[in-house]
Amino acid sequence: MQSRQDNPGYSEYADNADRIDAIATVFPVFFLMVAAMVCLTTMTRMVEEQRMQIGTLKALGYGKGAIAGKYFIYSALASLVGSAAGCAVGYWLFPTTIYNAYDMMYSLPDLSVTFQWPYAVIGAIAGILCTVVVALIGSYSSLKSNTAALMRPKPPKAGKRIFLERIGFLWSRMGFISKVTARNILRYKVRFLMAVLGLAGCTALMLAGFGLKDYISVIVPAQFQEIYSYDTVLGLRNEVGDQDATALKADIETDGNISSALLARQMVMDAAYGDRKIEVRLFVPDDAKQLPDFITLRHRTDDAPVTLPDDGVVITEKMATMLGVSAGDTIHLKRKKRPSR
């Protein structure tokens, strides 16, 4: 009897699901960091621009709590609307797009999306905290000033000599715009840092997205057109003898829609070398000379062909790296125990 792990399509799809899970673990952190920096810059600037309005409200008798409540409600509503839109996109658009992409390579059932309330609540709380806390801190920092000071524009920071001015030969060759820009960068360090981090995070996400797109668009034709030349795999539920397998192959080749067939044994094994141990798939063709008609073995870097030897095995580059082996080493294989039924 064969288990599901013995099915190449099942095991490959499980590996792809693990990769998507790893990506889904990292991406939310980047998104949250970028959102936090955007909210920090937006709310801080909004409070500074409404400085005179805050002073007017204080002059009319409004308390600090009532004035801060305005920015609290504004930031909370913005966070709730954004969280709702994000949940709709995250639970419908992304899963559907990714699932449809893998549906081109595998025969999959219809997608059933289940709304995960814990993740939605955690994401909404994180977004609300990012905006609300920043809004409250920014508003209370302005509310510390008296009414007369708030009614006037905020005085600029005292100018200081920057370190570039001490480098005479460099400073004298800089233009007026360059000098003003350098002074503003060092005068408003927080804004400069937020802008740099925000742009760096957005650029990293864009590069990751384009990289995944290029990876998927390249790996699919390379894997299933250049490396794998066969069209389908027929797996037997029960193990059969050599005579029965040969007879089955002959019956298959009598079908006019099938040009050729190859008998092969596939098993999930535990490969060990020293103290390293990984799970691998063993593929043993019945006729090694016929293998190039179905699978192309080649080097990754120079596409040089690889011949399957009669007294050895061919392993993938990833397997060699994980086990730390090279040509001539001996790998010990042990068949995995089948799960109890």
Side-chain angles (χ1 to χ4, degrees):
M1 296 289 292
Q2 288 187 333
S3 65
R4 288 184 297 179
Q5 293 293 339
D6 294 322
N7 188 316
Y10 176 85
S11 58
E12 289 176 3
Y13 186 77
D15 293 338
N16 290 329
D18 293 337
R19 297 187 185 99
I20 295 296
D21 181 67
I23 294 174
T25 303
V26 176
F27 265 50
V29 178
F30 279 99
F31 278 115
L32 185 60
M33 291 177 59
V34 173
M37 288 183 289
V38 171
C39 293
L40 174 62
T41 304
T42 302
M43 297 305 299
T44 302
R45 181 160 296 182
M46 185 182 71
V47 172
E48 291 180 356
E49 291 177 351
Q50 296 185 0
R51 176 183 175 87
M52 297 185 66
Q53 296 182 20
I54 295 175
T56 303
L57 292 174
K58 288 190 68 175
L60 293 175
Y62 287 92
K64 294 182 179 180
I67 299 174
K70 168 190 174 183
Y71 299 99
F72 173 84
I73 295 175
Y74 176 89
S75 58
L77 287 176
S79 300
L80 290 174
V81 173
S83 299
C87 289
V89 173
Y91 281 105
W92 178 78
L93 180 61
F94 289 163
T96 303
T97 304
I98 296 173
Y99 193 83
N100 291 336
Y102 281 105
D103 191 34
M104 296 186 297
M105 298 183 291
Y106 305 95
S107 178
L108 302 176
D110 294 335
L111 176 63
S112 177
V113 180
T114 303
F115 192 83
Q116 300 290 334
W117 284 103
Y119 293 142
V121 172
I122 293 174
I125 292 176
I128 292 173
L129 288 177
C130 288
T131 54
V132 169
V133 172
V134 171
L136 292 178
I137 292 175
S139 60
Y140 271 105
S141 63
S142 297
L143 290 172
K144 291 180 181 179
S145 304
N146 55 46
T147 304
L150 290 174
M151 297 292 288
R152 296 191 298 269
K154 187 176 181 179
K157 294 182 179 180
K160 296 181 180 179
R161 290 173 60 88
I162 61 177
F163 70 94
L164 288 177
E165 296 185 51
R166 305 180 187 279
I167 308 177
F169 69 93
L170 179 62
W171 183 257
S172 60
R173 288 173 172 76
M174 293 176 61
F176 175 76
I177 300 298
S178 300
K179 292 180 179 179
V180 173
T181 302
R183 284 173 174 166
N184 287 335
I185 287 175
L186 297 178
R187 175 176 294 182
Y188 305 104
K189 299 182 181 65
V190 176
R191 292 184 182 179
F192 173 72
L193 181 62
M194 291 298 102
V196 171
L197 294 179
L199 289 173
C202 293
T203 304
L205 292 175
M206 292 178 61
L207 288 177
F210 286 121
L212 289 174
K213 177 180 178 296
D214 293 340
Y215 166 78
I216 295 174
S217 62
V218 172
I219 196 64
V220 172
Q223 184 74 25
F224 297 99
Q225 295 179 9
E226 300 177 12
I227 298 178
Y228 290 165
S229 304
Y230 57 84
D231 295 318
T232 186
V233 176
L234 176 62
L236 301 181
R237 178 176 298 178
N238 299 315
E239 295 185 4
V240 298
D242 293 340
Q243 293 183 354
D244 294 335
T246 303
L248 177 61
K249 177 185 176 184
D251 292 339
I252 292 175
E253 290 179 336
T254 58
D255 191 328
N257 297 320
I258 299 177
S259 59
S260 60
L262 174 66
L263 290 175
R265 179 182 291 272
Q266 297 189 66
M267 293 176 291
V268 178
M269 311 285 286
D270 284 328
Y273 179 78
D275 57 350
R276 299 186 181 184
K277 181 180 178 182
I278 62 173
E279 181 182 289
V280 299
R281 179 174 300 279
L282 179 64
F283 184 91
V284 184
D286 181 64
D287 185 1
K289 296 180 179 179
Q290 196 179 1
L291 181 63
D293 296 334
F294 295 85
I295 300 177
T296 301
L297 301 178
R298 67 188 188 188
H299 289 284
R300 177 183 61 84
T301 54
D302 54 6
D303 293 339
V306 177
T307 303
L308 181 63
D310 296 331
D311 57 348
V313 297
V314 174
I315 64 175
T316 62
E317 180 183 1
K318 181 179 180 181
M319 179 179 173
T321 302
M322 296 178 67
L323 289 177
V325 297
S326 57
D329 293 334
T330 302
I331 302 174
H332 298 277
L333 298 176
K334 181 179 180 181
R335 189 165 186 176
K336 292 183 67 66
K337 295 182 179 179
R338 301 192 182 281
S340 59
R341 296 181 181 273

